[in-house]
Amino acid sequence: MNTHKVFVFGLALLGASLLKAQSVMDTYKAVFTSPPQHVPTTKTPDAPLAGNGDIGITMGGTPDKLCFYIGKNDFWRAYPVYPGGIALPGGLDITIDELRGASYHAEQLPGSAEITAKFSNTYCELKLSAWVAATDNKVVIELQSNKVVTARLRLWAAEGNTSTTAQGLGKVMWVSRSFENTELLRWPTHVALALNSSTDELSLVPGKKMQLVVSAYTNHDTPDWKNKAIAEAGKVSETTIEQLRKKHHVWWNNFWKQSHINIGDSYFEKYYYQSQYLFACSSREGKFAPGIWGPFVTRDEAAWGGDYHLNYNYQAPYWGAFSSNHISLTDNFDQPLLDYMEAGRKHAQELLDCRGIYYPVGIGPKGLCTAMWPLTPEEMLEKYATRENTIDGGYKFLGQKINAVFSVGNMLMRHYSTYDKAYARKVYPYLVACADFWEDYLSLENGRYVIHMDHFNEVMPNKRNGGIWRNRLGDFNSTLSLGLVRMLFQGVMDMSDFLSVDRVRQSHWQDILEKLSEYPLGTTEDGRQSLKNMEKGPQNKDVQPSGLNRVSIHGLILPGGVAGPVTDAKFNAILLNDVAHWADKQRDPNDWGNTSNNGIETCYPGAVRVGYPSDKILSYLKKRIEMNVYPNYWIVQGGGGIETFAAVPLTINEMLLQSYEGVIRVFPNWNRGKDASFENLRAYGAFLVTSAFKQGEVQGVAILSEKGRICKIENPWKGQPVQVTRGNKKSDILYGEYLQIPTAAGEKIELNLYTNQ
């Protein structure tokens, strides 16, 4: 068999499928046969969703009383205590009495990025399409009825929570909502919604499609936010809508062409692509970063303020985007962290007498802290069963010093994935500020660096513990902290080399890496070695090994990336054994890894990386999904929202391609009896990788080198020679377990099994 020809043919088929991205992706649609039950909500909505990474729409209500909730990532009540945080701008109600009791059928289409619906009863049938323009601040809703019916329209702004509202009617209908002049408000936010209608009643007639367009702007978009929303709504025409539609389809087609997988499993492929659709609806380059619930906010007082929760919730939604080659979706991640640096330096100096930055658990945009304790002792007593509201200067650090470093993981993922010099220059000061802090905070004792009082879990007073919490302080050498600190110093050294700066500091950073305490291990009752959450607990107490779990995965694997089969095979074997015993500790038979509250996006890809069998992981993952998922394919967990969008894409990508230890591995954890293929998954080193696995053998590997770095790849054909092809010309024949291949920027190379034919 000529392996090279077979591989190229396989890639041609993949390319052809991507040319039909929209129609192919729409086959992975979500179908709704009844109205949503969890809208409005302070958490995850179960309704049809669409968005453009800034504006999101949630279609609530019944056929006769539809409500489109309009959320926006930059509409915040910039108040430092909950219920500060993300807020709801408003929405559009569409009431059609003739549809009372109508059947409900809606679809969420990832390819065309729209919601379609059909409602019918014995009197009439209504068809609906709703989408958020990918390249504009507009929501488009199209209605068509087979009978004459009247649609009553109500454009509304949410009220309360110290906001002020206004409305007007002229050529268009408009409403506005503002947060300003409230004591302690850090900055004002205004939003205007304008509808291209001068009347609140719309007559639908057979054969004619009626198009409603809502234009939405905040003062963070433009100083002229209200006039711009009104003016643009007034300019809407069929021509402008068609122009918007074309740009919308171009954007989404290009998005779906950025990468592709085929694993022969329609169930997981649907979750893979719907999850990526939902994240692309939630995050966009040049816009405010999404909070815990993205732009799908359906009422004020969203849980945890819908803020940027820094001990994993904020970081996790982005994890699947790096390897899926959707880098632009990650572009907004860094700005809130950079904006908070001045405050972080003040916290470090005033609270811990350290240089560098020290971040609380929750922040928002533009230097906002969302996570302060209640401002009065009385409110503190009511909510947390203690009057002490001056803990840590009034800020919620919750016993954790590591919050700022958590985000370094995402910065390093992007750096290693792109080797973009401009990006490295942008975030390097943040990494150095984290290094400054930990140089001061680490303690050198008996020849090793140790970490005092940085806690594995959040520690805080609450009503359950009667407001008593200090007896829970005292973690020593938390596994989470040891992993993330190791990640930090290795990463800052790598970026220092890449930018050719701060070389004089590297000897100290290297000393920290060499002398940092080892990860704590213990012996279980059945005599096996197992990971401990920390070396010692509060009051210097011994702790029993609890095995690899969600929080320790954060330190070691995601985002830590400091453990694995190449880094330390012996230690990885211990972690793999811990994963093999997860079933022993399940609280629910369908909840392997105990992720019902948090961690589905962490535990499952973590299990892949340490080498647990892929088929078992997928079997457990399916049970966990079915345990709590909504019809819109949003996997639900108790402690957070959009982070679950990373769960399936990241788990599948890690089975097909890994590169986090500086070595590319194709199909590293894939059932050798199942065919699969992928195109343009992104590997560390700024490589785009394409490969296919068929009949138990890798068919070939194509690699596009963006930056001309040396490509180190594990031999896909163990123990056999590999033919390298450059520019359609065969070049080297390589041997060995690991192949090191020099590349040039923009060069495409192919690897195939050498057959001597």
Side-chain angles (χ1 to χ4, degrees), residues 28 40-41 48 141 303 504 543 559 589 604 745:
Y28 297 112
T41 179
I141 302 169
V504 69
V543 295
Y604 287 89

Side-chain angles (χ1 to χ4, degrees), residues 489-506:
F489 281 104
Q490 184 59 63
V492 75
M493 286 182 66
D494 290 343
M495 205 175 284
S496 165
D497 281 335
F498 180 65
L499 295 174
S500 299
V501 295
D502 289 334
R503 292 263 170 77
V504 69
R505 298 188 63 174
Q506 288 197 15

Side-chain angles (χ1 to χ4, degrees), residues 17 20-31 107-113 256 260 266-267 269-271 273-274 633:
S17 70
K20 302 175 182 177
Q22 179 177 321
S23 59
V24 170
M25 289 302 114
D26 278 348
T27 64
Y28 297 112
K29 63 187 178 184
V31 177
E107 296 180 350
Q108 177 179 290
L109 302 173
S112 52
W256 290 121
H260 188 76
S266 60
Y267 179 89
E269 286 175 2
K270 181 174 286 191
Y271 277 96
Y273 290 119
Q274 280 282 359
Y633 285 80

Side-chain angles (χ1 to χ4, degrees), residues 81 251 445 551:
V81 182
W251 192 95
E445 299 176 5
V551 179

